[in-house]
């Protein structure tokens, strides 16, 4: 029996307020409007950015359905949709690609104007929501909202992928893997023989390491306060692992000494202002490039000595690894199928999604 054009009742993990667990609720998911796509979510990853909303570090309206790293199958499409059809395997895109705005038209840009990064938003592009629960409208998250059995996204925010793709693996290409891998390859443009430092060895940090290694970096120094992360970092290409808590002096000074003047490229993949400044300071004073990959905490500013930049360093940000999402995601999925890179080491646990609160506990304990 076709569900096209009808409201779907399904289960979703609703966050009613900050600093509370997710509540598994029955929600109503409206049919897709013009240029919208309704997706049955098959697999979704848990990302620190979702947790930032729970803690208030990323400000969003409540109640909300979080989740932005996923893969699924198109259930139905609204009027005018041409790039996907029911039955297609897809990855929702938290950074859309409308193809018309300044960023989309610029070869160097990837942060589409249709992105829902505005703190007060939480709506579809037309200013309404597709979710209701207990008679209340529920906000969307980053235009994707994947912690639900069904979601609705704008056509610019979905990429059709190879029908052979294993969805429980390639869901990581929807955020974590692409964000880290692209930060190295697209944003920093790491060169063969170079030296890199990676601050933070979660899934995204490990993906930066995979990217640095793919680019031919000769030395990749991994930095984390959790030494349990070191074995996996080395398996994926790290040449050195350092725990700042074991050091007598600041981490940037140690890295400058280890490398005879600073690294060529550094990456902050945590989302802390102190590590962002350390990552900048540890790269070479004249030609070093430091990339901010972690989501910066709300209402915190960085104070630093401008001489750090005056001597020639570059400080860059990277959203979704600098990839133009709709173009890049199908290619990245094809590269995974063709064994250009691995995803399995990034997956530590696979849980039924009703155990989402346990999944976030594992994230918070560093497991």
């Amino acid at each position: 029996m076709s569900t096209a054009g009808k409201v779907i009742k399904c289960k979703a993990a609703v966050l009613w307020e900050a600093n509370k667990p997710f509540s598994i609720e029955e929600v109503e998911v409206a049919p897709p409007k013009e240029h919208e796509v309704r997706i049955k979510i098959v697999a979704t990853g848990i990302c620190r950015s979702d947790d930032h909303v729970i803690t208030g570090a990323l400000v969003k309206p409540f109640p909300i359905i979080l989740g932005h790293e996923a893969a699924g199958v198109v259930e139905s499409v609204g009027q005018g949709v041409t790039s996907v059809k029911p039955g297609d395997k897809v990855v929702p895109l938290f950074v859309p690609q409308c193809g018309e705005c300044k960023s989309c038209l610029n070869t160097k840009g990837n942060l589409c104007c249709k992105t829902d990064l505005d703190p007060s938003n939480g709506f579809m592009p037309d200013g309404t929501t597709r979710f209701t629960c207990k008679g209340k409208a529920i906000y969307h998250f980053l235009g994707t909202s994947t912690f639900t059995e069904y979601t609705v996204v704008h056509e610019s925010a979905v990429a059709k992928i190879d029908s052979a793709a294993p969805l429980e693996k390639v869901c990581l290409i929807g955020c974590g893997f692409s964000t880290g891998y692209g930060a190295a390859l697209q944003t920093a443009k790491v060169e063969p023989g170079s030296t890199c430092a990676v601050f933070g060895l979660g899934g995204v940090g490990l993906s930066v390491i995979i990217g640095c290694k793919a680019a031919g970096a000769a030395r990749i120094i991994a930095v984390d306060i959790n030494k349990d992360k070191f074995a996996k970092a080395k398996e994926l290409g790290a040449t050195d692992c350092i725990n700042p808590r074991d050091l007598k002096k600041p981490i940037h000074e140690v890295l400058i000494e280890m490398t005879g003047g600073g690294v060529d490229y550094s990456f902050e993949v945590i989302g802390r202002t102190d590590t962002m400044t350390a990552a900048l300071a540890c790269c070479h004073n004249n030609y070093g490039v430091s990339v901010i990959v972690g989501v910066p905490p709300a209402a915190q500013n960085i104070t630093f000595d401008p001489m750090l930049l005056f001597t020639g360093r570059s400080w860059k940000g990277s959203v979704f690894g600098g990839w133009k999402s709709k173009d890049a995601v199908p290619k990245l999925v094809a590269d995974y199928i063709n064994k250009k890179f691995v995803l399995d080491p990034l997956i530590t646990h696979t849980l039924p999604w009703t155990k989402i609160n346990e999944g976030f506990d594992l994230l918070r304990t560093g497991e």
Side-chain angles (χ1 to χ4, degrees), residues 192-207:
S194 59
T195 299
C196 303
V198 181
F199 289 70
L201 303 176
V204 184
L206 293 172
S207 302

Side-chain angles (χ1 to χ4, degrees), residues 306-330:
M307 185 57 80
L308 285 169
L309 293 179
F310 172 76
T311 56
R313 287 182 184 88
S314 305
W315 213 354
K316 303 180 94 165
S318 180
V319 177
F320 194 59
W323 304 107
K324 286 190 186 286
S325 59
K326 217 168 156 101
D327 294 342
V329 164

Side-chain angles (χ1 to χ4, degrees), residues 169 172 232 235 336 341-348:
K169 312 276 192 213
L172 299 186
K232 183 118 355 143
E235 176 196 329
Y336 170 70
F341 53 79
V342 292
L343 292 174
D344 290 43
L346 304 177
I347 301 170
T348 56

Side-chain angles (χ1 to χ4, degrees), residues 33 75 85 87 92 97-98 118 139 153 158 181 233 246-247 249 268 270 277 282 296 314 327 352:
K33 295 188 183 178
E75 173 269 338
K85 63 184 186 307
Q97 187 183 346
C98 72
D118 171 16
Y139 290 104
V153 304
V158 63
Y181 188 67
D246 297 341
L247 306 175
K249 49 179 141 181
E268 200 282 349
I270 304 166
T277 317
C282 82
S314 305
D327 294 342

Side-chain angles (χ1 to χ4, degrees), residues 219 249-263 282:
R219 197 167 178 198
K249 49 179 141 181
I251 181 69
H252 71 275
E253 290 180 17
V254 172
L255 288 166
I256 288 167
E257 282 171 18
M258 279 175 70
T259 55
V263 301
C282 82

Side-chain angles (χ1 to χ4, degrees), residues 122-138:
F123 294 114
M124 294 295 287
D126 73 347
T128 63
T129 159
R130 301 292 164 272
F131 300 118
T132 47
C133 180
K134 299 178 179 169
K136 281 194 177 139
I138 308 291

Side-chain angles (χ1 to χ4, degrees), residues 72-316:
V73 178
V74 174
E75 173 269 338
S76 62
V77 299
Q79 215 178 335
V81 171
T82 55
S83 60
V84 294
K85 63 184 186 307
D88 283 350
K89 284 189 179 180
V90 291
V91 168
L93 309 170
F94 75 92
V95 173
Q97 187 183 346
C98 72
E100 293 159 7
C101 70
K102 262 189 147 167
S103 287
C104 283
L105 292 171
N106 188 303
T107 56
K108 295 181 281 198
N110 81 316
L111 189 59
C112 177
C113 68
K114 288 221 163 81
T115 310
D116 175 22
L117 286 174
D118 171 16
S120 61
N121 200 337
F123 294 114
M124 294 295 287
D126 73 347
T128 63
T129 159
R130 301 292 164 272
F131 300 118
T132 47
C133 180
K134 299 178 179 169
K136 281 194 177 139
I138 308 291
Y139 290 104
H140 293 249
F141 178 55
L142 299 182
T144 48
S145 288
T146 63
F147 293 166
T148 168
E149 291 174 320
Y150 287 87
T151 192
V152 178
V153 304
H154 191 269
E155 185 180 15
S156 62
V158 63
K160 179 183 173 180
I161 58 167
D162 192 319
S163 60
L167 298 181
E168 75 286 358
K169 312 276 192 213
V170 300
C171 63
L172 299 186
I173 292 173
C175 176
F177 174 76
S178 305
T179 295
Y181 188 67
L185 293 175
Q186 293 277 115
T187 307
K189 297 192 166 39
V190 170
E191 293 142 329
S194 59
T195 299
C196 303
V198 181
F199 289 70
L201 303 176
V204 184
L206 293 172
S207 302
V208 173
I209 291 174
I210 294 171
C212 290
K213 188 174 182 193
R219 197 167 178 198
I220 303 168
I221 305 167
V223 181
D224 203 298
I225 55 173
N226 179 355
K227 64 180 188 311
D228 297 342
K229 305 264 184 188
F230 292 167
K232 183 118 355 143
K234 287 200 159 153
E235 176 196 329
L236 292 172
T239 53
D240 309 73
C241 293
I242 306 179
N243 183 341
R245 288 185 173 160
D246 297 341
L247 306 175
K248 297 275 190 291
K249 49 179 141 181
I251 181 69
H252 71 275
E253 290 180 17
V254 172
L255 288 166
I256 288 167
E257 282 171 18
M258 279 175 70
T259 55
V263 301
D264 299 305
Y265 302 98
S266 69
F267 301 86
E268 200 282 349
V269 206
I270 304 166
R272 290 176 58 104
T273 54
D274 55 344
T275 41
M276 288 172 186
T277 317
L280 178 67
C282 82
C283 68
H284 189 277
N285 71 351
N286 180 224
Y287 52 77
V289 176
S290 188
V291 182
I292 292 175
V293 190
V295 174
Q300 283 192 28
N301 293 331
I302 294 182
T303 307
F304 69 102
D305 179 355
M307 185 57 80
L308 285 169
L309 293 179
F310 172 76
T311 56
R313 287 182 184 88
S314 305
W315 213 354
K316 303 180 94 165

